[in-house]
């Protein structure tokens, strides 16, 4: 019943707004009151409202959708001719494999060229001594029982009592009482009961003492030999061969003195002498 009462009130209010006058409002109020007091026919009222609900429930027409335009069909691909088909399908030619033998030959040839070039450059380079011309008073001593492998260089003097396997070079005096297996270069050389395997080169005097054994050539400005030498002796000055000396090699000097008891197996030549032997016999 409350529903119909509210409906009547709304309806009467709408009528009052449309039709002016206070009398009409009073009559409608009385009518509303009287209507509520009387019995209301619910079925009739519902029938009146049914039409309104039907109109409200009518479906709204959906907007019209345009039909999609037909897409143009793609043109068919042009068929390849018999001449074009093999060209397109022909695979690219694979690169020729590199033969290992050719690579090895190229490497060997390049290595030989580089080696020959380096050898030529080394021969053209001037040989420069690593030691200065200064001579110091320092003396390097290789004590007995010491074994050294490698080259030795010193601006002073060297005394070898042990063993050295390598070349020895010094600006001072080289004294050997041990073993040297290598070439030696010094301002002076002295060996006493030593064993030397290598060439001896000095700007001064060479003294080979008693009990010393030298296997190698000797080059000096003068020499005194009391030990055993197997090699050639090239001395620009005098050579003294003592009684205990044994020489297996040629002696080339300005003068030579051979004491009684010395053994020389070789030729002696005074090629550095001031006497011109050839003019004497002309």
């Amino acid at each position: 019943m409350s529903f119909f009462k509210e409906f009547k009130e709304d309806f009467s209010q709408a009528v009052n707004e449309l039709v002016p006058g206070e009398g009409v409002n009073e009559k409608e109020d009385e009518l509303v009151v009287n209507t509520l007091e009387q019995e209301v026919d619910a079925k009739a009222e519902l029938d009146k409202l049914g039409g309104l609900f039907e109109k409200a429930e009518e479906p709204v027409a959906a907007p019209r959708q345009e039909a999609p335009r037909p897409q143009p069909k793609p043109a068919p691909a042009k068929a390849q001719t018999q001449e074009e088909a093999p060209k397109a399908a022909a695979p690219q030619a694979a690169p020729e494999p590199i033969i290992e033998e050719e690579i090895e030959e190229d490497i060997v040839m390049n290595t030989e060229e580089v080696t020959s070039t380096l050898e030529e450059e080394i021969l053209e380079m001037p040989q420069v001594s690593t030691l200065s011309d200064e001579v110091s008073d320092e003396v390097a001593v290789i004590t007995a029982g010491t074994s050294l492998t490698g080259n030795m260089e010193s601006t002073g003097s060297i005394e070898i009592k042990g063993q050295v396997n390598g070349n020895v070079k010094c600006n001072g005096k080289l004294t050997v009482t041990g073993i040297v297996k290598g070439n030696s270069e010094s301002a002076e050389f002295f060996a006493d009961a030593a064993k030397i395997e290598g060439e001896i080169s000095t700007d001064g005097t060479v003294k080979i003492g008693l009990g010393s054994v030298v296997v190698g050539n000797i080059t000096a400005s003068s020499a005194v030999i009391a030990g055993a030498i197997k090699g050639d002796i090239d001395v620009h000055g005098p050579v003294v061969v003592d009684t205990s000396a044994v020489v297996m090699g040629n002696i080339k000097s300005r003068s030579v003195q051979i004491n009684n008891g010395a053994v020389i197996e070789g030729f002696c030549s005074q090629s550095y002498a001031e006497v011109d032997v050839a003019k004497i016999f002309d």
Side-chain angles (χ1 to χ4, degrees):
M1 296 298 292
S2 60
F3 174 78
F4 295 105
K5 184 177 179 180
E6 293 176 359
F7 179 79
K8 291 294 182 178
E9 291 176 356
D10 295 335
F11 181 74
S12 62
Q13 186 177 356
V15 172
N16 291 334
E17 292 176 357
L18 295 174
V19 181
E22 297 179 356
V24 177
N25 293 334
E26 293 177 356
K27 291 179 181 180
E28 288 179 354
D29 293 337
E30 293 177 358
L31 180 60
V32 170
V33 173
N34 293 332
T35 304
L36 292 174
E37 292 177 354
Q38 299 176 359
E39 294 182 1
V40 179
D41 190 355
K43 185 175 181 182
E45 296 295 335
L46 291 173
D47 293 336
K48 292 178 181 180
L49 297 174
L52 297 175
F53 290 114
E54 290 178 359
K55 291 179 180 181
E57 292 179 357
E58 288 182 359
V60 180
R64 184 178 180 182
Q65 297 181 354
E66 297 181 357
R69 296 180 181 179
Q71 298 292 335
K73 296 182 180 181
K78 185 179 179 181
Q80 295 180 348
T81 61
Q82 294 181 356
E83 297 179 356
E84 295 177 352
K87 294 180 180 179
Q92 296 181 356
E96 296 181 358
I98 300 174
I99 303 174
E100 296 181 357
E101 295 180 356
E102 295 180 357
I103 296 174
E104 292 179 356
E105 291 179 358
D106 294 338
I107 293 172
V108 171
M109 292 176 66
N110 294 333
T111 305
E112 291 178 353
E113 291 178 358
V114 172
T115 304
S116 61
T117 305
L118 290 174
E119 290 178 353
E120 292 177 359
E121 292 179 356
I122 291 170
L123 292 174
E124 292 177 358
M125 291 175 62
Q127 300 296 327
V128 180
S129 177
T130 56
L131 295 177
S132 62
D133 295 334
E134 298 179 358
V135 180
S136 64
D137 297 333
E138 300 294 332
V139 179
V141 180
I142 306 300
T143 59
T146 302
S147 178
L148 178 64
T149 301
N151 300 331
M152 291 183 60
E153 293 185 1
S154 175
T155 56
S157 301
I158 298 176
E159 185 176 352
I160 300 174
K161 298 180 181 180
Q163 180 174 350
V164 175
N165 299 320
N167 300 329
V168 181
K169 183 178 182 180
C170 66
N171 292 346
K173 183 179 180 180
L174 177 59
T175 303
V176 180
T177 58
I179 300 173
V180 175
K181 294 183 179 180
N183 301 329
S184 61
E185 183 178 351
S186 61
E188 294 182 10
F189 187 89
F190 176 72
D192 185 15
K195 293 182 180 180
I196 301 169
E197 295 180 7
E199 295 184 358
I200 299 172
S201 176
T202 178
D203 297 331
T205 303
V206 172
K207 295 180 180 181
I208 307 299
L210 182 64
S212 297
V213 178
V214 178
V215 180
N217 300 327
I218 296 175
T219 302
S221 60
S222 61
V224 178
I225 300 168
I229 297 174
K230 185 178 181 180
D232 296 335
I233 300 172
D234 189 351
V235 176
H236 290 271
V239 174
V240 178
V241 182
D242 204 356
T243 305
S244 59
V246 176
V247 178
M248 293 183 63
N250 301 324
I251 299 175
K252 185 178 180 180
S253 64
R254 187 179 66 180
S255 63
V256 59
Q257 178 183 339
I258 301 173
N259 296 336
N260 189 17
V263 177
I264 299 175
E265 190 173 330
F267 297 97
C268 293
S269 173
Q270 283 73 46
S271 59
Y272 300 119
E274 296 177 356
V275 178
D276 190 354
V277 179
K279 289 183 179 180
I280 296 174
F281 294 98
D282 285 344

